Amino acid sequence: MTNSTHIKSQQSTALGLVIFSSIILAIMVILCIINYSISQTLNWSLYPIGALFMVWATLAPAIGLPKYKLVGSYIGLSFTLVPFLYMVANLTGDGEWFAPLALPLALSLLVTLGIFFVFFSRLNNNWYLVAIAFFLFGVVLNYAVNLVLRSNHIEQDIRGKMINSSTIYSFLLATCIFTLIGYQRRSK
């Protein structure tokens, strides 16, 4: 890549980030204006503003840091997901569900995503990546969610427990199948 091509690429990346950020900021301002003009306070607009900030923090690194878009997006999501859920819990007036339910679910998701991204950046066998995705999200995260729900006494009926078990076993089977395909098609 020539030096002028590299500079043009950086300029277009910076311009894309500025445009994206400006759009998000404009929407946030419009939401504030509408909310304040209706109720002379900011209440309901804080939900979409928080969500927009989380979207911006997750997508802006992908736009502004093309070489590190995956890591940047993960960091952006990691730093904004839990505070967003905490804000929602407090705005709803009944924030009791945050610590026992939202926090462990969010952390389970973030840890699972982090582990997947490590494998994603290290493996070049797409079949293994699919197997890892099935295992991490379909087995590990599914099991973790089930544990959190059970520990919060959110019980499922017998049919729900059977469906969850069937789902976990199905994903485990898919993991094995994709691992075998990946093993057969690996680079020799």
Side-chain angles (χ1 to χ4, degrees):
M1 181 184 295
T2 66
N3 195 26
S4 66
T5 306
H6 182 69
I7 291 172
K8 286 180 184 178
S9 174
Q10 286 179 329
Q11 288 173 340
S12 66
T13 299
L15 180 62
L17 181 58
V18 167
I19 291 171
F20 176 69
S21 298
S22 299
I23 290 170
I24 295 289
L25 184 61
I27 294 170
M28 288 175 167
V29 168
I30 290 168
L31 286 166
C32 286
I33 291 169
I34 292 170
N35 188 189
Y36 194 79
S37 67
I38 292 172
S39 59
Q40 285 67 49
T41 187
L42 295 179
N43 46 24
W44 61 262
S45 66
L46 296 175
Y47 295 101
I49 288 171
L52 283 167
F53 181 73
M54 189 171 62
V55 166
W56 177 84
T58 303
L59 296 180
I63 297 168
L65 304 167
K67 285 185 178 180
Y68 306 104
K69 61 184 169 187
L70 199 58
V71 171
S73 291
Y74 176 73
I75 291 170
L77 178 64
S78 296
F79 279 110
T80 57
L81 179 61
V82 172
F84 173 71
L85 291 172
Y86 183 76
M87 180 196 73
V88 169
N90 285 316
L91 288 174
T92 59
D94 183 19
E96 292 180 19
W97 54 267
F98 174 76
L101 193 61
L103 183 60
L105 290 175
L107 293 177
S108 297
L109 173 67
L110 292 173
V111 168
T112 304
L113 276 173
I115 293 169
F116 178 74
F117 289 153
V118 168
F119 281 109
F120 185 81
S121 65
R122 305 254 186 244
L123 290 176
N124 57 5
N125 185 322
N126 289 337
W127 295 102
Y128 285 159
L129 284 175
V130 172
I132 289 166
F134 271 97
F135 181 74
L136 287 174
F137 296 105
V139 177
V140 175
L141 185 60
N142 190 355
Y143 185 75
V145 167
N146 196 23
L147 281 178
V148 170
L149 294 177
R150 261 193 271 145
S151 70
N152 285 284
H153 307 294
I154 300 173
E155 295 292 329
Q156 295 178 324
D157 59 7
I158 296 296
R159 183 171 177 244
K161 288 179 182 178
M162 287 176 28
I163 290 172
N164 190 50
S165 296
S166 299
T167 303
I168 289 175
Y169 291 130
S170 298
F171 278 107
L172 198 52
L173 177 62
T175 299
C176 293
I177 290 170
F178 284 111
T179 301
L180 290 173
I181 292 171
Y183 181 76
Q184 288 178 345
R185 299 198 179 179
R186 72 188 184 283
S187 302
K188 301 199 181 201

